[in-house]
Amino acid sequence: MGATSTLSITAVTKYLLLLFLHFSQAQTFSFPFRQPETCGHNQYFDISSLSCARCGANQRQDAQGTSCVCLPGFQTISNNGGAGIICKKCPEDMKGVTKDGWNCISCPSGLTTEGKCHCPTGHILVERDVNGTLLSQATCQLCDKNENSFTVANALGNRCVRCEPTFINTSRSCVCSEPNILTGGLCFSSTGNFPPRVISATRYGELGMSLTSEWFTKYLQSAAAACWVYGNLTSCQALGNMCVMNMNSYDSATFDACRLFQFVSENTAGLRTVHSVSFWRQNLPWLFYGDQLGLAPQVLSTTPLPTNFSFKGPNQDTKLKFVAASYDVRGNFLKWQTLEGGVLQLCPDTETRLNAAYSFGTTYQQNCEISISKILTGFPTPVFYDLYLEYTSENQHQYIWAVPVLNLNLQYNKMFVNQDSNPGKWLLTRRIFLVDALSGRENDLGSQPRLIRIATQISLSIHLVPSTKSGNIFPPLMTIGYSDIDIKDPNSQSVKISFSIKYEMNQEEARIQTDIALGVLGGLAVLSSLLKTAGWKRRIGSPVIDLQTVMKFLVYYAGDLANVFLIITVGTGLYWLIFFKAQKSVSVLLPMPAQEERFVTYVGCAFALKALQFLHKLISQITIDIFFIDWERPKGKVLKAVEGEGGVRSATVPVSIWRTYFVANEWNEIQTVRKINPLFQVLTVLFFLEVVGFKNLALMDPSSSLSRDPLSYTAPYSRILRYAVSAALWLVIAIIQIVFFAVFYERFIEDKIRQFVDLCCMSNISVFLLSHRCFGYYIHGRSVHGHADTNMEEMNMNLKREAENLCSQRGLVPNTEGQTFQIAISSQMRQHYDRIHETLTRKNGPARLLSSSATTFEQSIKAYHTMNKFLGSFIDHVHKEMDYFIKDKLLLERILGIEFMEPMEKSIFYNGGVQVNPWRYEKKILKCLLVYLQFHHF
C-alpha cells in the first residue's frame, strides 16, 4: 500500500513537471497590435484587451471608437459600456429616438440620418416638459425674432438665445439681409466705411508656396470690420494675431492681414495713443515700430534702460526679469507670465537649466530636434506673446520696457528687409508666437494642417552701453526666425530648434588699443630684427647687403613678430579673463565668437611665424662646426712591425681616441638639457585644467568658481578665455620650474653644463664651436696636469693636488678660472681653418658616403691631426699673425646680443660665453611649445 502511494505521488510529480515544462516552452507574451481606427464599422476597440471586438445586434461603433451605440430607430435599454448594450426597436408610430438615445418619440418634421427628430431652421426641438416629463410627440418651437426678444436658435438647436449684437445694431433683427454684409458670423452695414471686400486670405510661406487659409477666409474680414467699426478689443487683437501669423509682412498692393491692420490703424488716427507710445493706438495691439524702415538704430541704441546690473557686491543683480502678455488666437487676453520655466524654449530640459537663460552675463545656447507629431499635439492653436523686461526704478516702483523683435521672415513689399546686415533697413515688430498649426489648414479647421510654422531660431541680444561703469544696457533685441514644414508624415518628420541669449559690447576701443600695441611692438620687432641682422653680418664677416641678408632679416623678423603676437594674445586673453570675471558692476562683456576672429588670426600668425623661426633655428644648429681639441701628447715610443718589410721600427705611442668619443657623447646628451621638464609641464597643466577645474574659468558666465554643479547649465567656452587660462597656467608652471632649476637644482643637485666643462678638463679635451663663419664658442678643457690618459692612482693624486691648490688653475689665462668664452675670429684665421677643413669635405658629402679607400682614410686622419695641431697652436698664441686677446663683453653688448668691436687683425675671446647659450635655444623652444599648445585649443 505504501509502495503504491509512493508510485502515485511520483507519477503525479512527473506529470506536473512535464506540464510545467510544456507550459514554459509554449507560452508567449506577444499579441497583435491594434489601433482604434483599424476596427471595422460594427466593431469597437476594447480598452481592456487592446483589441477589436464585435458589437451586438442592432449596434455600431460610437464616435470615439471605444464602445457601441444603437442603430437609428433603436432605443437603448441598458448600457454597461463596450458590447454591454441592449437595444430595442422603436414602434412604428414612434420611429424617432430622443437625443439621449434612451426613449422613442414621435417626430413632427422627419428624422435625421441618426434617427433623431429634425426641426426647420430657426426652430428648437422640445422633447420634454419644463418639469422633465417626456412628451409623446416632440414639437418644434420658433424662436421669437421680434424687437422685444431678438432670439434665434443656438448651434445645437435646443435653446433660443439673443441674436449677435451686430445683427440688431445693423438691421434691428436677427437676419442680415442685403444690402447689409454678413461675414464671419457678424452683420455690417454697407453704407459705412467698410473695409475693402477684395481681401487676400493667402498665407505666405518660406517654401515658395502659398495656400488659402480657412481661418483667414472665415475671420479676417469680420475681425477687421469689428475692430474698425465697433472698436472691439478682441477683434482688434485677433486681427493683429493674423498679421503676426503672416509674419508681419506688409505689401501695399495687397489687402492681406497686415495691410488691413495698417488700413484700420490709418483710419483711427484720431484716437489717442497708449502710454505715450506713438506706434500704439487705442484699441489696437502694438505690432510695429512705425510703418517705415530705418527706426531700428534709434530704438536699439539711443535710450539705455534705467536699471543697473552687477555680478558681485551688496547690490548684486544678475536676473533678467522678462514677462509676457499672452493672448489666444481669437484675441482674448490669457495672463501675464514670466519667461521662466521654458515658456519660449521648445527644447525640453530641467527647470534649473531652462531658467539659467535669464541669468545676466551667462551666454546661453540650447539646441534640440523635436518630432512634428509632438509639436502638433502640444500646440493645436497658437499663443501670442508681447515681451517686456521688468525693472525697478529708483523710487522702487515696478516698470516694464517693451522688447523689440527682429522677425527674419518679415517681407516689406516682397523684400526680406530684416535679413540685411544694416540695422538702418530693419523693420522692428513686437508680437511673436512659437507654433502656428492653425493658419496652415485648408477647407476645414478640424483637419490636419497642410503647413505648420515653427519658431526654429530664437535669440536674445543684450548690448552693453559703451563706457558704462554701472552695468547699463540698451533694450534687448529678440531675433526670431520661422520655418515652414510641409506636413506629410508627422511621426517621421522632425525639426531642429535653437534658443540662445548672447551679450555684446562695442569692441572698437579694444580693437584700437590692440592695433596700437601691435604697431608699437611691431616697430620694436623691426628694430630688434635689424640689430640681429647686423650682428649676424658681423659674425659672418660680410659687410655686403645681398639677397641672403634680406632673407635673414625676414626670418629674424618672423621670429620677433611671432613674439609680438604672443605677447598681444596672452595680454588680451588675461585682460578679458581678469576684468570680466572679477568685475562687480558690469563694465565689460566678452567678445562674441564673430569678434574673436581677429584674435584667432593673431594666434595662427604666431604659430606659423614661430614654426618658421624654429625651422630656421634647426637649420642653424645642424650647420654648426664643432671640433674637439685633444691636448694629450704621446708618452714615449714603442717598437712597431712594418708590414711588407719584415722588420720593426720605433714609433710614438698613439693617443687614445676614447676620451674624445666620450666627450662627444656627453656633448650630444646635454643637447636635451632643459630648464623645464616637458612631460611634467604638460601633465601639470592638464591636472590643473581638468582635475582642479581651472577650465571652468573659461566658461562664458560671470562665475569664478572652479567647481560646477553637474545638474546646472554649463555655458559654452570662450576661445579667448581658454587661451588665457591655458597660457597663464603654462607660463606660471614654466616659471616655477625655471626658478627651481636655477635656484635650487643647479646649486644643490647637479649643473650639467658645469659638469661637462669639468669633464672636458678631466679628459684634457677642449671644445671649439663655430655657429657662424667668424663667431662661435670655446670651452677650455686643457688639463692643468699635462695629461689625462693615466691610471686611477695618478688621477686621484692629480685631483687631490688640485683640491689643495698645489697646481695652477684651469682657466685659459694663467691664475684664472675662466674656461668658457664667446669667440669672434678674424677672417685670416677663418681662411686658414677652411683650408684645413676642405680636406675633410672635399667630396661634398659626409664621411660615410665617401670612398673607403685607405688613401682617403689616411687623408682624413691627417686632416684631423692637422686641425687639432692648428687649433691647439692658435689657443697657445703660436701664430702671431692670427693671435687673439681676451676681454669682457659690455653690458649693452650682452643685452643687444651684438659685438661692437670687429675682429680685424686679432680674434677676440669674450669671457663667459657658453653657459648662456643652451638657455637661449631653450627660450625659443619654450615659446614654440607654448604657441603650439594654445593654437590647438582652437
PDB file of all heavy atoms in Angstrom, residues 502-521:
ATOM      1  N   LYS A 502      22.734  86.019 -26.044  1.00  0.00           N
ATOM      2  CA  LYS A 502      24.116  86.463 -26.195  1.00  0.00           C
ATOM      3  C   LYS A 502      24.258  87.899 -25.716  1.00  0.00           C
ATOM      4  O   LYS A 502      23.297  88.672 -25.734  1.00  0.00           O
ATOM      5  CB  LYS A 502      24.565  86.315 -27.649  1.00  0.00           C
ATOM      6  CG  LYS A 502      23.676  87.035 -28.650  1.00  0.00           C
ATOM      7  CD  LYS A 502      24.081  86.724 -30.073  1.00  0.00           C
ATOM      8  CE  LYS A 502      23.178  87.437 -31.090  1.00  0.00           C
ATOM      9  NZ  LYS A 502      23.548  87.127 -32.478  1.00  0.00           N
ATOM     10  N   TYR A 503      25.472  88.225 -25.312  1.00  0.00           N
ATOM     11  CA  TYR A 503      25.779  89.539 -24.758  1.00  0.00           C
ATOM     12  C   TYR A 503      26.855  90.196 -25.618  1.00  0.00           C
ATOM     13  O   TYR A 503      27.844  89.571 -25.983  1.00  0.00           O
ATOM     14  CB  TYR A 503      26.239  89.413 -23.304  1.00  0.00           C
ATOM     15  CG  TYR A 503      25.168  88.854 -22.396  1.00  0.00           C
ATOM     16  CD1 TYR A 503      24.960  87.481 -22.292  1.00  0.00           C
ATOM     17  CD2 TYR A 503      24.342  89.697 -21.675  1.00  0.00           C
ATOM     18  CE1 TYR A 503      23.962  86.966 -21.488  1.00  0.00           C
ATOM     19  CE2 TYR A 503      23.350  89.190 -20.843  1.00  0.00           C
ATOM     20  CZ  TYR A 503      23.163  87.831 -20.766  1.00  0.00           C
ATOM     21  OH  TYR A 503      22.174  87.338 -19.962  1.00  0.00           O
ATOM     22  N   GLU A 504      26.648  91.465 -25.908  1.00  0.00           N
ATOM     23  CA  GLU A 504      27.555  92.168 -26.795  1.00  0.00           C
ATOM     24  C   GLU A 504      27.968  93.500 -26.178  1.00  0.00           C
ATOM     25  O   GLU A 504      27.240  94.081 -25.369  1.00  0.00           O
ATOM     26  CB  GLU A 504      26.887  92.441 -28.157  1.00  0.00           C
ATOM     27  CG  GLU A 504      26.353  91.225 -28.872  1.00  0.00           C
ATOM     28  CD  GLU A 504      25.659  91.592 -30.164  1.00  0.00           C
ATOM     29  OE1 GLU A 504      26.284  92.269 -31.007  1.00  0.00           O
ATOM     30  OE2 GLU A 504      24.481  91.228 -30.337  1.00  0.00           O
ATOM     31  N   MET A 505      29.120  93.968 -26.591  1.00  0.00           N
ATOM     32  CA  MET A 505      29.553  95.327 -26.292  1.00  0.00           C
ATOM     33  C   MET A 505      30.382  95.829 -27.464  1.00  0.00           C
ATOM     34  O   MET A 505      30.893  95.042 -28.269  1.00  0.00           O
ATOM     35  CB  MET A 505      30.359  95.385 -24.992  1.00  0.00           C
ATOM     36  CG  MET A 505      31.715  94.693 -25.045  1.00  0.00           C
ATOM     37  SD  MET A 505      32.714  94.976 -23.563  1.00  0.00           S
ATOM     38  CE  MET A 505      33.087  96.726 -23.717  1.00  0.00           C
ATOM     39  N   ASN A 506      30.496  97.112 -27.573  1.00  0.00           N
ATOM     40  CA  ASN A 506      31.269  97.707 -28.666  1.00  0.00           C
ATOM     41  C   ASN A 506      32.754  97.417 -28.438  1.00  0.00           C
ATOM     42  O   ASN A 506      33.349  97.872 -27.453  1.00  0.00           O
ATOM     43  CB  ASN A 506      31.006  99.215 -28.717  1.00  0.00           C
ATOM     44  CG  ASN A 506      31.581  99.850 -29.974  1.00  0.00           C
ATOM     45  OD1 ASN A 506      32.405  99.254 -30.655  1.00  0.00           O
ATOM     46  ND2 ASN A 506      31.146 101.054 -30.275  1.00  0.00           N
ATOM     47  N   GLN A 507      33.348  96.662 -29.352  1.00  0.00           N
ATOM     48  CA  GLN A 507      34.741  96.259 -29.229  1.00  0.00           C
ATOM     49  C   GLN A 507      35.686  97.206 -29.978  1.00  0.00           C
ATOM     50  O   GLN A 507      36.872  96.889 -30.121  1.00  0.00           O
ATOM     51  CB  GLN A 507      34.924  94.842 -29.777  1.00  0.00           C
ATOM     52  CG  GLN A 507      34.080  93.790 -29.073  1.00  0.00           C
ATOM     53  CD  GLN A 507      34.581  93.493 -27.676  1.00  0.00           C
ATOM     54  OE1 GLN A 507      35.751  93.738 -27.360  1.00  0.00           O
ATOM     55  NE2 GLN A 507      33.714  92.980 -26.824  1.00  0.00           N
ATOM     56  N   GLU A 508      35.183  98.346 -30.420  1.00  0.00           N
ATOM     57  CA  GLU A 508      36.015  99.234 -31.220  1.00  0.00           C
ATOM     58  C   GLU A 508      37.198  99.762 -30.426  1.00  0.00           C
ATOM     59  O   GLU A 508      38.321  99.829 -30.929  1.00  0.00           O
ATOM     60  CB  GLU A 508      35.163 100.389 -31.754  1.00  0.00           C
ATOM     61  CG  GLU A 508      35.875 101.294 -32.734  1.00  0.00           C
ATOM     62  CD  GLU A 508      36.278 100.591 -34.008  1.00  0.00           C
ATOM     63  OE1 GLU A 508      35.658  99.556 -34.336  1.00  0.00           O
ATOM     64  OE2 GLU A 508      37.214 101.061 -34.673  1.00  0.00           O
ATOM     65  N   GLU A 509      36.960 100.149 -29.166  1.00  0.00           N
ATOM     66  CA  GLU A 509      38.059 100.679 -28.352  1.00  0.00           C
ATOM     67  C   GLU A 509      39.121  99.613 -28.102  1.00  0.00           C
ATOM     68  O   GLU A 509      40.326  99.880 -28.199  1.00  0.00           O
ATOM     69  CB  GLU A 509      37.511 101.190 -27.022  1.00  0.00           C
ATOM     70  CG  GLU A 509      38.584 101.822 -26.131  1.00  0.00           C
ATOM     71  CD  GLU A 509      38.019 102.349 -24.828  1.00  0.00           C
ATOM     72  OE1 GLU A 509      36.781 102.319 -24.666  1.00  0.00           O
ATOM     73  OE2 GLU A 509      38.822 102.780 -23.984  1.00  0.00           O
ATOM     74  N   ALA A 510      38.686  98.386 -27.801  1.00  0.00           N
ATOM     75  CA  ALA A 510      39.639  97.293 -27.594  1.00  0.00           C
ATOM     76  C   ALA A 510      40.424  97.012 -28.869  1.00  0.00           C
ATOM     77  O   ALA A 510      41.630  96.735 -28.824  1.00  0.00           O
ATOM     78  CB  ALA A 510      38.903  96.040 -27.125  1.00  0.00           C
ATOM     79  N   ARG A 511      39.748  97.097 -30.002  1.00  0.00           N
ATOM     80  CA  ARG A 511      40.433  96.856 -31.274  1.00  0.00           C
ATOM     81  C   ARG A 511      41.473  97.936 -31.536  1.00  0.00           C
ATOM     82  O   ARG A 511      42.597  97.647 -31.987  1.00  0.00           O
ATOM     83  CB  ARG A 511      39.422  96.830 -32.414  1.00  0.00           C
ATOM     84  CG  ARG A 511      40.023  96.447 -33.757  1.00  0.00           C
ATOM     85  CD  ARG A 511      39.006  96.593 -34.874  1.00  0.00           C
ATOM     86  NE  ARG A 511      38.641  97.989 -35.071  1.00  0.00           N
ATOM     87  CZ  ARG A 511      39.386  98.858 -35.766  1.00  0.00           C
ATOM     88  NH1 ARG A 511      40.518  98.471 -36.332  1.00  0.00           N
ATOM     89  NH2 ARG A 511      39.002 100.101 -35.893  1.00  0.00           N
ATOM     90  N   ILE A 512      41.135  99.191 -31.214  1.00  0.00           N
ATOM     91  CA  ILE A 512      42.088 100.289 -31.422  1.00  0.00           C
ATOM     92  C   ILE A 512      43.308 100.110 -30.522  1.00  0.00           C
ATOM     93  O   ILE A 512      44.460 100.283 -30.957  1.00  0.00           O
ATOM     94  CB  ILE A 512      41.397 101.640 -31.156  1.00  0.00           C
ATOM     95  CG1 ILE A 512      40.340 101.905 -32.242  1.00  0.00           C
ATOM     96  CG2 ILE A 512      42.417 102.771 -31.124  1.00  0.00           C
ATOM     97  CD1 ILE A 512      39.522 103.151 -31.993  1.00  0.00           C
ATOM     98  N   GLN A 513      43.067  99.746 -29.255  1.00  0.00           N
ATOM     99  CA  GLN A 513      44.182  99.541 -28.334  1.00  0.00           C
ATOM    100  C   GLN A 513      45.071  98.388 -28.795  1.00  0.00           C
ATOM    101  O   GLN A 513      46.308  98.460 -28.714  1.00  0.00           O
ATOM    102  CB  GLN A 513      43.635  99.245 -26.921  1.00  0.00           C
ATOM    103  CG  GLN A 513      42.827 100.371 -26.310  1.00  0.00           C
ATOM    104  CD  GLN A 513      43.644 101.631 -26.075  1.00  0.00           C
ATOM    105  OE1 GLN A 513      44.861 101.573 -25.911  1.00  0.00           O
ATOM    106  NE2 GLN A 513      42.982 102.789 -26.077  1.00  0.00           N
ATOM    107  N   THR A 514      44.448  97.337 -29.308  1.00  0.00           N
ATOM    108  CA  THR A 514      45.234  96.210 -29.818  1.00  0.00           C
ATOM    109  C   THR A 514      46.055  96.621 -31.026  1.00  0.00           C
ATOM    110  O   THR A 514      47.232  96.241 -31.163  1.00  0.00           O
ATOM    111  CB  THR A 514      44.296  95.045 -30.186  1.00  0.00           C
ATOM    112  OG1 THR A 514      43.547  94.667 -29.024  1.00  0.00           O
ATOM    113  CG2 THR A 514      45.090  93.849 -30.687  1.00  0.00           C
ATOM    114  N   ASP A 515      45.452  97.408 -31.915  1.00  0.00           N
ATOM    115  CA  ASP A 515      46.184  97.875 -33.099  1.00  0.00           C
ATOM    116  C   ASP A 515      47.363  98.761 -32.707  1.00  0.00           C
ATOM    117  O   ASP A 515      48.448  98.685 -33.313  1.00  0.00           O
ATOM    118  CB  ASP A 515      45.240  98.628 -34.035  1.00  0.00           C
ATOM    119  CG  ASP A 515      44.233  97.706 -34.712  1.00  0.00           C
ATOM    120  OD1 ASP A 515      44.460  96.489 -34.682  1.00  0.00           O
ATOM    121  OD2 ASP A 515      43.230  98.205 -35.246  1.00  0.00           O
ATOM    122  N   ILE A 516      47.163  99.609 -31.687  1.00  0.00           N
ATOM    123  CA  ILE A 516      48.256 100.458 -31.224  1.00  0.00           C
ATOM    124  C   ILE A 516      49.399  99.611 -30.665  1.00  0.00           C
ATOM    125  O   ILE A 516      50.577  99.819 -30.995  1.00  0.00           O
ATOM    126  CB  ILE A 516      47.745 101.457 -30.168  1.00  0.00           C
ATOM    127  CG1 ILE A 516      46.780 102.481 -30.816  1.00  0.00           C
ATOM    128  CG2 ILE A 516      48.909 102.187 -29.506  1.00  0.00           C
ATOM    129  CD1 ILE A 516      46.127 103.411 -29.819  1.00  0.00           C
ATOM    130  N   ALA A 517      49.031  98.636 -29.819  1.00  0.00           N
ATOM    131  CA  ALA A 517      50.058  97.752 -29.253  1.00  0.00           C
ATOM    132  C   ALA A 517      50.770  96.973 -30.355  1.00  0.00           C
ATOM    133  O   ALA A 517      52.000  96.819 -30.327  1.00  0.00           O
ATOM    134  CB  ALA A 517      49.421  96.788 -28.249  1.00  0.00           C
ATOM    135  N   LEU A 518      50.013  96.515 -31.336  1.00  0.00           N
ATOM    136  CA  LEU A 518      50.617  95.778 -32.433  1.00  0.00           C
ATOM    137  C   LEU A 518      51.562  96.659 -33.232  1.00  0.00           C
ATOM    138  O   LEU A 518      52.656  96.225 -33.636  1.00  0.00           O
ATOM    139  CB  LEU A 518      49.522  95.215 -33.345  1.00  0.00           C
ATOM    140  CG  LEU A 518      49.982  94.344 -34.521  1.00  0.00           C
ATOM    141  CD1 LEU A 518      50.735  93.121 -34.017  1.00  0.00           C
ATOM    142  CD2 LEU A 518      48.795  93.917 -35.361  1.00  0.00           C
ATOM    143  N   GLY A 519      51.163  97.920 -33.449  1.00  0.00           N
ATOM    144  CA  GLY A 519      52.027  98.835 -34.199  1.00  0.00           C
ATOM    145  C   GLY A 519      53.316  99.149 -33.459  1.00  0.00           C
ATOM    146  O   GLY A 519      54.410  99.122 -34.042  1.00  0.00           O
ATOM    147  N   VAL A 520      53.182  99.434 -32.146  1.00  0.00           N
ATOM    148  CA  VAL A 520      54.372  99.792 -31.360  1.00  0.00           C
ATOM    149  C   VAL A 520      55.311  98.591 -31.241  1.00  0.00           C
ATOM    150  O   VAL A 520      56.520  98.685 -31.511  1.00  0.00           O
ATOM    151  CB  VAL A 520      53.952 100.296 -29.964  1.00  0.00           C
ATOM    152  CG1 VAL A 520      55.184 100.489 -29.082  1.00  0.00           C
ATOM    153  CG2 VAL A 520      53.175 101.599 -30.085  1.00  0.00           C
ATOM    154  N   LEU A 521      54.759  97.456 -30.831  1.00  0.00           N
ATOM    155  CA  LEU A 521      55.610  96.274 -30.676  1.00  0.00           C
ATOM    156  C   LEU A 521      56.137  95.784 -32.016  1.00  0.00           C
ATOM    157  O   LEU A 521      57.256  95.263 -32.096  1.00  0.00           O
ATOM    158  CB  LEU A 521      54.816  95.162 -29.989  1.00  0.00           C
ATOM    159  CG  LEU A 521      54.398  95.438 -28.537  1.00  0.00           C
ATOM    160  CD1 LEU A 521      53.579  94.274 -27.986  1.00  0.00           C
ATOM    161  CD2 LEU A 521      55.616  95.680 -27.658  1.00  0.00           C
TER     162      LEU A 521
END
